[in-house]
Amino acid sequence: MDEIKRLQEMVDESSSIVFFGGAGVSTESGIPDFRSVDGLYHMKYDYPPETILSHTFFMKNPEEFYRFYHDKMLCLDAKPNAAHKKLAEMEAKGKLKAVITQNIDGLHQMAGSQRVMELHGSVHRNYCMKCGAFYDARYMKEAEGVPRCRLCGGMIKPDVVLYEEGLDQRTLSNSVSFLSRADLLIIGGTSLAVYPAASLIDYFRGKYLVVINKSSTPRDSMADLLIQESIGQVLGAIRV
Protein backbone atom coordinates (compact mmCIF):
# COMPACT_ATOMS: atom_id res chain seq x y z
CA MET A 1 0.00 0.00 0.00
CA ASP A 2 1.45 3.36 -1.04
CA GLU A 3 0.08 5.05 2.10
CA ILE A 4 1.95 2.66 4.39
CA LYS A 5 5.12 3.20 2.37
CA ARG A 6 4.76 6.98 2.71
CA LEU A 7 4.13 6.71 6.45
CA GLN A 8 7.22 4.51 6.78
CA GLU A 9 9.30 7.20 5.04
CA MET A 10 7.96 9.88 7.39
CA VAL A 11 8.70 7.75 10.46
CA ASP A 12 12.20 6.94 9.19
CA GLU A 13 13.17 10.59 8.75
CA SER A 14 11.57 11.84 11.99
CA SER A 15 13.32 11.89 15.35
CA SER A 16 10.60 13.45 17.52
CA ILE A 17 7.24 11.73 16.95
CA VAL A 18 4.11 12.34 19.02
CA PHE A 19 0.98 10.20 18.83
CA PHE A 20 -2.40 11.74 19.63
CA GLY A 21 -5.11 9.09 19.97
CA GLY A 22 -8.71 8.44 20.93
CA ALA A 23 -11.31 5.72 21.30
CA GLY A 24 -10.58 4.13 17.92
CA VAL A 25 -7.24 2.92 19.27
CA SER A 26 -9.01 0.85 21.91
CA THR A 27 -12.04 -0.40 19.96
CA GLU A 28 -9.72 -2.97 18.37
CA SER A 29 -9.12 -4.27 21.90
CA GLY A 30 -12.88 -4.67 22.39
CA ILE A 31 -13.54 -1.45 24.32
CA PRO A 32 -16.68 0.34 23.06
CA ASP A 33 -16.42 3.74 21.43
CA PHE A 34 -18.72 6.52 22.64
CA ARG A 35 -19.76 7.87 19.29
CA SER A 36 -19.60 5.03 16.79
CA VAL A 37 -22.80 3.54 15.41
CA ASP A 38 -22.67 0.66 17.89
CA GLY A 39 -21.00 2.68 20.63
CA LEU A 40 -22.17 3.73 24.08
CA TYR A 41 -24.27 6.62 22.80
CA HIS A 42 -26.61 4.17 21.09
CA MET A 43 -27.15 1.90 24.08
CA LYS A 44 -30.40 2.07 26.01
CA TYR A 45 -30.14 3.57 29.49
CA ASP A 46 -32.53 5.76 31.44
CA TYR A 47 -30.24 8.71 30.66
CA PRO A 48 -27.85 9.42 27.78
CA PRO A 49 -24.21 8.54 28.57
CA GLU A 50 -23.22 12.21 28.31
CA THR A 51 -25.60 12.97 31.19
CA ILE A 52 -24.57 9.97 33.28
CA LEU A 53 -20.89 10.81 32.86
CA SER A 54 -21.26 14.36 34.17
CA HIS A 55 -20.07 15.68 37.53
CA THR A 56 -23.58 16.81 38.48
CA PHE A 57 -25.09 13.39 37.78
CA PHE A 58 -22.27 11.63 39.64
CA MET A 59 -22.94 13.68 42.76
CA LYS A 60 -26.75 13.42 42.58
CA ASN A 61 -27.18 9.84 41.34
CA PRO A 62 -24.06 7.85 42.27
CA GLU A 63 -25.96 4.54 42.16
CA GLU A 64 -27.01 5.01 38.53
CA PHE A 65 -23.60 6.42 37.63
CA TYR A 66 -21.84 3.37 39.00
CA ARG A 67 -24.28 0.97 37.37
CA PHE A 68 -23.30 2.42 34.00
CA TYR A 69 -19.61 2.86 34.89
CA HIS A 70 -19.33 -0.70 36.15
CA ASP A 71 -21.01 -2.14 33.05
CA LYS A 72 -19.46 -0.03 30.31
CA MET A 73 -16.29 1.70 31.48
CA LEU A 74 -14.41 -0.95 33.43
CA CYS A 75 -13.16 -3.21 30.62
CA LEU A 76 -10.40 -4.80 32.67
CA ASP A 77 -10.01 -7.91 30.50
CA ALA A 78 -9.02 -5.88 27.43
CA LYS A 79 -5.49 -6.40 26.11
CA PRO A 80 -3.25 -4.04 24.10
CA ASN A 81 -3.53 -4.41 20.34
CA ALA A 82 -1.03 -3.93 17.50
CA ALA A 83 -1.29 -0.14 17.69
CA HIS A 84 -0.49 0.01 21.42
CA LYS A 85 2.41 -2.40 20.99
CA LYS A 86 3.94 -0.58 18.03
CA LEU A 87 3.79 2.77 19.82
CA ALA A 88 5.55 1.25 22.84
CA GLU A 89 8.21 -0.16 20.51
CA MET A 90 8.66 3.23 18.84
CA GLU A 91 9.18 4.85 22.24
CA ALA A 92 11.67 2.18 23.30
CA LYS A 93 13.69 2.87 20.14
CA GLY A 94 13.73 6.60 20.94
CA LYS A 95 11.57 7.69 17.99
CA LEU A 96 8.31 8.37 19.80
CA LYS A 97 8.53 11.04 22.49
CA ALA A 98 4.98 10.80 23.92
CA VAL A 99 1.53 9.34 23.61
CA ILE A 100 -1.27 11.82 24.24
CA THR A 101 -4.50 9.91 24.73
CA GLN A 102 -8.16 10.66 25.37
CA ASN A 103 -8.63 7.07 26.55
CA ILE A 104 -8.92 6.06 30.19
CA ASP A 105 -8.21 2.33 29.90
CA GLY A 106 -4.46 2.22 30.59
CA LEU A 107 -3.74 -0.02 27.59
CA HIS A 108 -0.81 2.12 26.41
CA GLN A 109 0.96 1.55 29.73
CA MET A 110 0.05 -2.13 29.66
CA ALA A 111 1.79 -2.36 26.27
CA GLY A 112 4.92 -0.77 27.71
CA SER A 113 4.61 2.94 26.92
CA GLN A 114 6.23 5.12 29.57
CA ARG A 115 5.39 8.69 28.56
CA VAL A 116 1.59 8.70 28.35
CA MET A 117 -0.38 11.90 28.80
CA GLU A 118 -3.86 10.83 29.89
CA LEU A 119 -6.03 13.86 29.09
CA HIS A 120 -9.18 12.33 30.55
CA GLY A 121 -7.66 10.42 33.46
CA SER A 122 -7.65 6.67 34.12
CA VAL A 123 -9.98 4.00 35.49
CA HIS A 124 -6.92 2.56 37.25
CA ARG A 125 -6.73 5.43 39.74
CA ASN A 126 -9.57 5.95 42.20
CA TYR A 127 -9.65 8.02 45.37
CA CYS A 128 -11.88 8.32 48.40
CA MET A 129 -13.55 11.73 48.30
CA LYS A 130 -13.34 11.96 52.09
CA CYS A 131 -9.84 10.80 53.09
CA GLY A 132 -8.05 10.49 49.73
CA ALA A 133 -7.21 6.78 50.04
CA PHE A 134 -6.23 5.12 46.74
CA TYR A 135 -8.06 2.18 45.18
CA ASP A 136 -7.31 0.27 41.99
CA ALA A 137 -9.69 -0.65 39.18
CA ARG A 138 -10.13 -4.21 40.43
CA TYR A 139 -11.50 -2.92 43.73
CA MET A 140 -14.00 -0.79 41.80
CA LYS A 141 -15.00 -3.70 39.59
CA GLU A 142 -15.65 -5.99 42.54
CA ALA A 143 -17.53 -3.41 44.60
CA GLU A 144 -21.32 -3.69 44.65
CA GLY A 145 -23.32 -0.52 44.22
CA VAL A 146 -21.46 2.67 45.12
CA PRO A 147 -17.81 1.85 46.02
CA ARG A 148 -16.97 2.89 49.57
CA CYS A 149 -13.66 3.47 51.30
CA ARG A 150 -12.52 0.66 53.60
CA LEU A 151 -10.91 3.22 55.91
CA CYS A 152 -13.57 5.91 56.40
CA GLY A 153 -16.65 4.82 54.44
CA GLY A 154 -16.45 7.77 52.06
CA MET A 155 -17.54 7.48 48.45
CA ILE A 156 -14.77 6.65 45.98
CA LYS A 157 -14.46 8.63 42.75
CA PRO A 158 -12.58 7.47 39.65
CA ASP A 159 -9.72 9.73 38.57
CA VAL A 160 -11.59 10.25 35.30
CA VAL A 161 -12.47 13.67 33.87
CA LEU A 162 -16.26 13.85 33.80
CA TYR A 163 -18.29 16.31 31.76
CA GLU A 164 -18.28 19.71 33.52
CA GLU A 165 -14.83 19.01 34.98
CA GLY A 166 -11.59 20.63 33.83
CA LEU A 167 -8.57 18.81 32.45
CA ASP A 168 -5.48 18.41 34.60
CA GLN A 169 -3.23 21.43 34.02
CA ARG A 170 0.05 19.57 34.34
CA THR A 171 -1.07 16.96 31.79
CA LEU A 172 -2.14 19.76 29.45
CA SER A 173 1.14 21.67 29.73
CA ASN A 174 3.20 18.51 29.22
CA SER A 175 1.13 17.65 26.14
CA VAL A 176 1.64 21.13 24.70
CA SER A 177 5.38 20.84 25.32
CA PHE A 178 5.68 17.53 23.46
CA LEU A 179 3.45 18.70 20.59
CA SER A 180 5.33 21.95 20.07
CA ARG A 181 8.65 20.09 19.76
CA ALA A 182 7.48 17.23 17.51
CA ASP A 183 8.52 16.93 13.88
CA LEU A 184 5.86 14.27 13.12
CA LEU A 185 2.39 14.16 14.66
CA ILE A 186 0.32 11.03 14.12
CA ILE A 187 -3.35 11.46 14.97
CA GLY A 188 -5.08 8.10 15.24
CA GLY A 189 -8.43 6.63 16.19
CA THR A 190 -10.15 9.90 17.04
CA SER A 191 -12.86 11.97 15.39
CA LEU A 192 -11.35 15.09 17.04
CA ALA A 193 -14.82 15.97 18.31
CA VAL A 194 -14.03 16.32 22.03
CA TYR A 195 -12.79 19.69 23.25
CA PRO A 196 -10.60 21.07 24.71
CA ALA A 197 -8.54 17.93 24.01
CA ALA A 198 -8.83 18.19 20.21
CA SER A 199 -7.63 21.79 20.19
CA LEU A 200 -4.25 20.74 21.60
CA ILE A 201 -3.03 19.70 18.16
CA ASP A 202 -2.97 23.38 17.19
CA TYR A 203 0.33 23.54 19.08
CA PHE A 204 1.99 21.25 16.54
CA ARG A 205 4.36 23.16 14.26
CA GLY A 206 6.37 20.26 12.86
CA LYS A 207 6.98 18.91 9.38
CA TYR A 208 4.43 16.11 8.94
CA LEU A 209 0.83 15.70 10.09
CA VAL A 210 -0.63 12.21 9.62
CA VAL A 211 -4.29 11.32 10.28
CA ILE A 212 -5.23 7.65 10.61
CA ASN A 213 -8.96 7.23 11.24
CA LYS A 214 -11.72 5.20 9.62
CA SER A 215 -14.11 8.16 9.45
CA SER A 216 -13.42 11.74 8.45
CA THR A 217 -12.09 14.34 10.90
CA PRO A 218 -11.97 18.16 10.85
CA ARG A 219 -8.20 17.97 10.20
CA ASP A 220 -8.23 15.71 7.13
CA SER A 221 -7.65 18.57 4.70
CA MET A 222 -4.61 19.73 6.70
CA ALA A 223 -2.96 16.30 6.80
CA ASP A 224 0.16 15.55 4.78
CA LEU A 225 -1.03 11.93 4.80
CA LEU A 226 -4.57 10.65 5.38
CA ILE A 227 -5.19 6.93 5.92
CA GLN A 228 -8.78 5.77 6.52
CA GLU A 229 -7.96 2.26 7.69
CA SER A 230 -7.64 0.28 10.91
CA ILE A 231 -5.12 1.97 13.22
CA GLY A 232 -3.81 -1.43 14.36
CA GLN A 233 -3.21 -2.65 10.82
CA VAL A 234 -1.52 0.58 9.75
CA LEU A 235 0.83 0.97 12.71
CA GLY A 236 1.42 -2.77 12.87
CA ALA A 237 2.89 -2.62 9.36
CA ILE A 238 5.47 0.02 10.29
CA ARG A 239 9.07 -1.05 10.95
CA VAL A 240 10.99 0.78 13.64
Side-chain angles (χ1 to χ4, degrees):
M1 184 198 278
D2 289 342
E3 294 167 337
I4 299 289
K5 185 180 176 185
R6 183 70 185 114
L7 177 59
Q8 182 71 60
E9 291 170 352
M10 291 178 174
V11 169
D12 289 345
E13 67 173 88
S14 301
S15 59
S16 182
I17 304 171
V18 168
F19 179 81
F20 183 97
V25 180
S26 293
T27 51
E28 291 173 38
S29 292
I31 294 178
D33 179 5
F34 271 68
R35 288 171 177 78
S36 64
V37 173
D38 55 351
L40 296 183
Y41 272 77
H42 296 265
M43 294 177 178
K44 298 292 182 277
Y45 274 80
D46 293 339
Y47 305 88
E50 204 159 28
T51 299
I52 296 174
L53 297 174
S54 69
H55 180 82
T56 299
F57 192 93
F58 171 76
M59 297 303 293
K60 287 183 177 177
N61 304 282
E63 295 85 2
E64 184 69 8
F65 172 90
Y66 272 113
R67 187 171 77 87
F68 180 89
Y69 184 81
H70 192 278
D71 287 350
K72 303 300 178 188
M73 310 298 282
L74 288 175
C75 307
L76 303 187
D77 295 328
K79 297 287 189 289
N81 60 53
H84 298 106
K85 292 172 184 175
K86 184 62 66 174
L87 291 167
E89 184 186 346
M90 290 169 72
E91 182 185 327
K93 295 285 178 65
K95 299 280 280 184
L96 184 78
K97 301 307 178 185
V99 168
I100 302 171
T101 181
Q102 300 170 82
N103 298 336
I104 59 174
D105 49 51
L107 290 179
H108 285 293
Q109 291 93 328
M110 200 183 297
S113 289
Q114 302 291 315
R115 288 186 296 276
V116 183
M117 310 296 117
E118 295 176 309
L119 296 174
H120 296 151
S122 172
V123 298
H124 296 282
R125 298 186 300 270
N126 306 274
Y127 299 95
C128 172
M129 297 178 72
K130 200 169 175 183
C131 74
F134 171 87
Y135 291 91
D136 63 15
R138 185 59 59 186
Y139 183 87
M140 304 295 280
K141 186 75 172 175
E142 293 172 356
E144 293 185 12
V146 177
R148 295 282 174 183
C149 177
R150 282 184 294 217
L151 302 176
C152 73
M155 184 165 71
I156 302 171
K157 182 183 184 296
D159 187 15
V160 169
V161 179
L162 301 176
Y163 290 101
E164 305 166 348
E165 294 180 343
L167 274 58
D168 178 72
Q169 289 303 308
R170 178 188 277 184
T171 304
L172 280 174
S173 62
N174 286 340
S175 299
V176 168
S177 177
F178 282 116
L179 283 164
S180 62
R181 288 180 283 133
D183 52 14
L184 166 59
L185 172 60
I186 302 174
I187 297 172
T190 173
S191 59
L192 295 174
V194 178
Y195 285 81
S199 61
L200 283 175
I201 60 179
D202 291 333
Y203 289 95
F204 173 67
R205 294 285 184 271
K207 188 173 183 181
Y208 296 124
L209 173 64
V210 176
V211 175
I212 308 168
N213 198 53
K214 287 182 177 178
S215 58
S216 60
T217 82
R219 303 297 173 122
D220 289 358
S221 61
M222 300 168 60
D224 297 290
L225 178 62
L226 173 64
I227 307 178
Q228 293 184 312
E229 302 288 345
S230 153
I231 183 79
Q233 287 180 358
V234 173
L235 289 185
I238 298 300
R239 300 180 312 280
V240 185

